[in-house]
Amino acid sequence: MTEVGPHLFWVTSRAAGIAAMILASGSLGVGLLIRGRGEPRRLLGSDARALHEALSLATIVAIAIHGLALLGDSYLHPSPLDIAVPFTGAYRPLWTGLGIVSGWGIAALGLSYYARSRIGAARWRLLHRFIAIFWALGLVHTLGAGSDAGQLWLLLAIAAPAVPAALLLLGRLAESAGQPREPQLSARRGPAAPAGR
Amino acid sequence: MDEMRKLEAKGLARAKSRSRRRRVATIRSRTIRGSLALFAILWAVVFVQLASGNDPVLSQKPKAERRSATANSTARESASEPVREPAPEFEQVESEPEAEFEEVPPELEFEEEAPVEIEEPLVTSSS
């Protein structure tokens, strides 16, 4: 048996990090399901959008807890700079640095939704697509720096939402590259619906 | 008649927007509850894993330390305690006790030198 007392902040940070990754994958998947280019909506628009927004906010909160909980860890005792500035910490600087970049990217691009009118809808939509890169960085961070990275339960928990999200992302990328996955079906449907929201 | 229709349409629109708001509120509260439940489950899993001594990080270090301990045939108290992957600062702290152990032998050497009492007879002989 191990004394858990000194590791409570570490446990909290680990749980929040895994939760953030699962929620981010869920949010990405729902976001990609809202509307496929040239296809009708697959989910009810407002419902899916509300779910996407709630999952995104939950992800950002989980990322914040993941970083802030480490400040209380008596073993690593990182400074605020170590958890906020990429590649400056002493503990696995590359992997944690990628995680910090991912966290800031997800937070900034996620919260930019509320400044959409200032940014401009078309520009915001373009920016919002880059969130997938930060999600992928988060995955790399989880598998590279995660304390439980080799555990089967973690791999299953991460893969369950991440694999469908990755497949949807690949599908979207293929569509945007002008390679329709089901040319026969789209031909049968007739003229394509207008793209974007 | 037209006004009646307008009122009906307005009423329908209001009802629709109300039901949509209700649906959105339900989705939000369910997502928040689900996220909290997910966090609680993950926290419990990591906690139990750690408390039961099966933590992937904590269980690796003692094995390595046990190997080194058996090779040196000197068991230290700190080796039996699980230690997380060392951060640079802690490596320095752990190396300090080793330095103290190495400083002990010189004191013993002084004690061993004490029995050399050849000088006393020399002193007495000179006086």
Side-chain angles (χ1 to χ4, degrees), chain A residues 30-31 44 82 88 186 188:
Chain A
V30 173
L44 275 174
D82 289 340
T88 54
S186 59
R188 247 180 266 158

Side-chain angles (χ1 to χ4, degrees), chain A residues 2-3, chain B residues 58 61-63 65-66 76-84 94:
Chain A
T2 308
E3 198 187 332
Chain B
L58 296 185
K61 190 68 189 170
K63 279 178 191 170
E65 283 188 1
R66 255 178 255 146
R76 289 178 199 167
E77 283 179 20
S78 61
S80 63
E81 284 176 11
V83 184
R84 263 196 259 167
E94 280 177 3

Side-chain angles (χ1 to χ4, degrees), chain A residues 14 73 75 77 92 148, chain B residues 23 49 55 84-86 89:
Chain A
R14 281 161 72 177
D73 186 37
Y75 181 78
H77 53 82
R92 298 184 181 177
D148 306 289
Chain B
R23 267 203 328 266
Q49 189 179 250
D55 191 81
R84 263 196 259 167
E85 262 191 332
E89 294 166 31

Side-chain angles (χ1 to χ4, degrees), chain A residues 3 16 24-25 31 51 53 56 63-64 67 73 84 109 127-128 176 180 184:
Chain A
E3 198 187 332
S25 300
L51 182 60
E53 187 184 359
S56 305
I63 290 170
D73 186 37
L109 291 179
L127 274 175
H128 197 65
S176 61
Q184 291 172 342

Side-chain angles (χ1 to χ4, degrees), chain B residues 85-104:
Chain B
E85 262 191 332
E89 294 166 31
F90 275 72
E91 277 178 3
Q92 289 166 4
V93 173
E94 280 177 3
S95 65
E96 277 175 17
E98 286 174 17
E100 280 173 19
F101 275 111
E102 283 170 13
E103 281 171 14
V104 172

Side-chain angles (χ1 to χ4, degrees), chain A residues 1-4 6-8 10-12 14-16 18-19 22-23 44 46-47 50-51 53-55 58 65 73-77 90-92 147-148 151 153 157, chain B residues 20 23-25 27-29 31-32 34-35 38-40 42-47 49-58 82-90 94:
Chain A
M1 293 286 279
T2 308
E3 198 187 332
V4 188
H7 305 299
L8 282 179
W10 187 44
V11 172
T12 305
R14 281 161 72 177
I18 300 163
I22 293 169
L23 291 167
L44 275 174
S46 62
D47 287 7
L51 182 60
E53 187 184 359
L55 283 171
I65 294 170
D73 186 37
S74 57
Y75 181 78
L76 285 174
H77 53 82
Y91 183 75
R92 298 184 181 177
S147 306
D148 306 289
Q151 302 291 102
W153 68 266
Chain B
R20 208 179 83 178
R23 267 203 328 266
V24 167
I27 288 168
R28 276 181 192 157
S29 66
T31 310
I32 290 166
S35 304
L38 176 72
F39 175 71
L42 289 168
W43 200 94
V45 168
V46 177
F47 182 89
Q49 189 179 250
L50 202 145
S52 62
N54 295 320
D55 191 81
V57 175
L58 296 185
V83 184
R84 263 196 259 167
E85 262 191 332
E89 294 166 31
F90 275 72
E94 280 177 3

